[in-house]
Amino acid sequence: MGKIEINTDSLVTFIIMWGIPIFMVFRGYFKLDTDDKKSAMKDFRSKRFILTIGFIVGGVFLTHLGVLFAINILKGIGIAILIIGGIFSTIEMWKESKIKSVPILILVSFVVLINVT
C-alpha cells in the first residue's frame, strides 16, 4: 500500500474552511427550540435542498478531499456532483427569475473550469 501524503497547508485550510462553518451550524441548531429544530430538519431533508445546496456542498467537500489527499478520482466525483448541483440550482432559480439564474451558471462554470485544470 502506498503512503498518502497530505499537504500541511491544504490540511489547515481544510480544517478552517469546513470546521468553522460546521461548528457554527451545530451551535445554532442546538440553540433552537424543538419546533424550529423539526422545521430545520424538514428543510434539510427536502428534495429541493438536497439537489441544490446539498449537491453543491457535497461536491465541493469531495473535491477538497481529493485535492487534500491527491486522489484524482475523488476530485472527479466531487466535480461531477458539483456540476449536477449547479444544474439543479440554475433550474430552480430559472423558475423564479431568469436573470438571477445566469450568475449561478457562470459561477458554477468558473469553479468547474478552475478545478478541471
Side-chain angles (χ1 to χ4, degrees):
M1 238 180 158
K3 181 180 175 186
I4 296 178
E5 293 186 25
I6 299 175
N7 184 344
T8 307
D9 294 337
S10 294
L11 181 61
V12 170
T13 304
F14 182 82
I15 291 171
I16 291 171
M17 185 174 153
W18 292 102
I20 293 173
I22 289 171
F23 171 76
M24 298 296 284
V25 167
F26 276 108
R27 190 178 82 169
Y29 177 77
F30 288 120
K31 286 183 177 182
L32 296 175
D33 63 18
T34 306
D35 291 335
D36 289 337
K37 284 182 182 180
K38 287 179 183 178
S39 176
M41 289 309 294
K42 182 181 176 187
D43 290 342
F44 288 148
R45 290 180 181 154
S46 72
K47 184 189 294 187
R48 181 178 181 191
F49 181 85
I50 292 170
L51 291 176
T52 56
I53 304 298
F55 273 27
I56 290 173
V57 171
V60 171
F61 183 77
L62 289 176
T63 303
H64 201 166
L65 275 179
V67 169
L68 179 64
F69 294 116
I71 303 172
N72 288 333
I73 189 73
L74 192 58
K75 183 179 171 185
I77 292 169
I79 291 171
I81 293 172
L82 177 63
I83 291 170
I84 293 168
I87 290 169
F88 281 119
S89 293
T90 303
I91 291 169
E92 285 295 319
M93 188 57 72
W94 187 268
K95 292 176 186 176
E96 294 176 21
S97 170
K98 295 181 181 20
I99 294 173
K100 289 182 180 178
S101 66
V102 174
I104 294 173
L105 184 60
I106 292 170
L107 182 62
V108 170
S109 301
F110 180 71
V111 169
V112 168
L113 286 174
I114 287 175
N115 284 314
V116 170
T117 56

